[in-house]
Amino acid sequence: MAIFQHIILLLCLSLFCTTSLVSSHNRHYTTPTVPRLTDLFSHVSVNQSFSNVFGGPNIKILNNGSTATFALDRTSGSGLASWNKYNYGFFSAAIKLPAGLTSGVVVAFYLSNADMYPHSHDEIDIELLGNDKRIDWVLQTNVYANGVSTGREEKFYFWSNPTLQHHYYSILWNSHHIVFLVDNIPVREFPNNGKFSAAHPLKPMSLYVTISDGSQWATHGGKYPVNYKYAPFVTSLTDVEMVGCIVNPKQPNSSCSSASVSSIDPVEGPDFVKLSNQQMSAMVWARRKLMFYSYCKDTSSFKVLPPECK
């Protein structure tokens, strides 16, 4: 009888541990109040601001160009790239992620100039990594500069379910800092000062939105690949904002500097030089509650940590 009770206890403990890993959506968070940067800027038309870079048949433009869906299936992923290149700015979109088993699926919202500088490219990445039913979607942020292969990844769980409705994903990039935001809450700041400056992207970049197969790395280091039994995986994109310095990379002297700067100019405006106290408090909340990986603590991958970590 004692052995039977012991087995029952072990089964209950096992069930508890398993269910506790099912989803952070079971945990209820009261999110901090922050300024809504996404309310400051106008939305742009997807079909007038982007071109297809791959998987054209999997991209659908809806609602007179204000919305797009793009899909991953057995034949291809799909992606869009902005017509313009920017040297600093504010970039945002409301994205609804695919529901269900999405292991290996990667939805990316990022800036890059790999097309212009294949050997010395820059990137500022928001990558949304699919789940294997036991663990939620993961938000991964990263910064690359000058072709340096060392990634500066930080990973977070979400405080709400990103598959039920659209959520805002935003990047602020200017000469002062890079800020990653989710629903206007800053989750990471990469300042352009001190030892961080060597990794601060400086060259013009385009904005990309893609969905692709990341089976080799995305979910638990590639342990769980894409299961195309559940395809197509469809992502919805709307409320796109791109505000900044539009430049022509083929004209090195092209510039957007102006004698008069608006307070809501994300490139040079005083309201975008540093985070407010309210934004700083919100970022501390997000990092304490939901960040589970930072490259600055990964001594197993880095024999010598990047200089800004010290």
Side-chain angles (χ1 to χ4, degrees):
M1 183 67 177
I3 294 176
F4 178 74
Q5 290 176 332
H6 182 65
I7 292 174
I8 293 297
L9 177 61
L10 288 176
L11 287 172
C12 290
L13 288 172
S14 175
L15 179 61
F16 172 79
C17 293
T18 301
T19 55
S20 68
L21 289 173
V22 168
S23 175
S24 68
H25 306 149
N26 296 327
R27 300 195 296 268
H28 299 285
Y29 294 103
T30 301
T31 56
T33 301
V34 291
R36 289 185 54 84
L37 298 185
T38 52
D39 289 347
L40 300 178
F41 307 110
S42 300
H43 301 156
V44 301
S45 170
V46 176
N47 60 338
Q48 294 180 10
S49 303
F50 289 87
S51 62
N52 296 350
V53 285
F54 68 101
N58 284 353
I59 300 172
K60 291 181 172 55
I61 306 297
L62 309 170
N63 301 328
N64 295 319
S66 65
T67 301
T69 62
F70 46 110
L72 168 68
D73 59 22
R74 292 181 185 274
T75 62
S76 176
S78 49
L80 302 167
S82 64
W83 288 109
N84 293 325
K85 293 186 182 296
Y86 295 82
N87 196 7
Y88 299 148
F90 180 79
F91 310 89
S92 183
I95 298 173
K96 182 180 178 183
L97 297 176
L101 180 65
T102 53
S103 58
V105 176
V106 179
V107 176
F109 179 83
Y110 67 103
L111 295 160
S112 177
N113 50 30
D115 58 331
M116 293 291 297
Y117 307 98
H119 303 297
S120 60
H121 83 286
D122 308 303
E123 274 192 31
I124 302 174
D125 300 337
I126 290 178
E127 295 170 312
L128 308 167
L129 312 181
N131 72 86
D132 63 350
K133 280 192 177 178
R134 294 180 298 124
I135 301 295
D136 297 326
W137 278 85
V138 166
L139 167 74
Q140 176 171 286
T141 63
N142 209 346
V143 178
Y144 288 91
N146 298 315
V148 176
S149 59
T150 300
R152 289 170 163 82
E153 299 170 353
E154 290 190 340
K155 299 181 182 181
F156 303 78
Y157 291 124
F158 286 88
W159 50 81
S160 59
N161 188 336
T163 71
L164 296 181
Q165 61 188 32
H166 290 82
H167 290 269
Y168 288 98
Y169 302 90
S170 311
I171 296 170
L172 171 65
W173 168 46
N174 59 32
S175 62
H176 305 285
H177 53 185
I178 298 166
V179 183
F180 300 88
L181 307 98
V182 179
D183 288 337
N184 291 287
I185 295 175
V187 297
R188 180 182 184 183
E189 181 184 30
F190 199 85
N192 185 18
N193 58 41
K195 295 179 178 179
F196 286 88
S197 293
H200 191 86
L202 298 174
K203 300 187 291 293
M205 294 190 276
S206 300
L207 178 65
Y208 291 82
V209 189
T210 64
I211 185 169
S212 60
D213 184 328
S215 292
Q216 295 183 346
W217 63 274
T219 306
H220 300 293
K223 183 178 179 182
Y224 299 100
V226 176
N227 187 338
Y228 284 101
K229 172 184 175 182
Y230 300 97
F233 305 97
V234 180
T235 292
S236 174
L237 171 81
T238 191
D239 292 358
V240 179
E241 298 173 358
M242 294 187 288
V243 183
C245 176
I246 299 173
V247 298
N248 183 348
K250 296 180 180 179
Q251 298 177 358
N253 295 324
S254 61
S255 171
C256 299
S257 22
S258 171
S260 60
V261 176
S262 164
S263 63
I264 60 169
D265 175 7
V267 177
E268 299 181 13
D271 291 349
F272 294 86
V273 169
K274 64 179 183 178
L275 297 178
S276 67
N277 291 337
Q278 194 177 38
Q279 289 172 317
M280 285 294 296
S281 296
M283 185 171 69
V284 169
W285 173 87
R287 295 176 71 80
R288 285 180 176 172
K289 294 282 188 183
L290 296 156
M291 187 175 76
F292 66 92
Y293 172 85
S294 173
Y295 71 104
C296 277
K297 298 184 182 298
D298 189 355
T299 53
S300 61
S301 297
F302 294 92
K303 292 182 179 178
V304 178
L305 289 172
E308 69 270 14
C309 294
K310 298 177 182 178

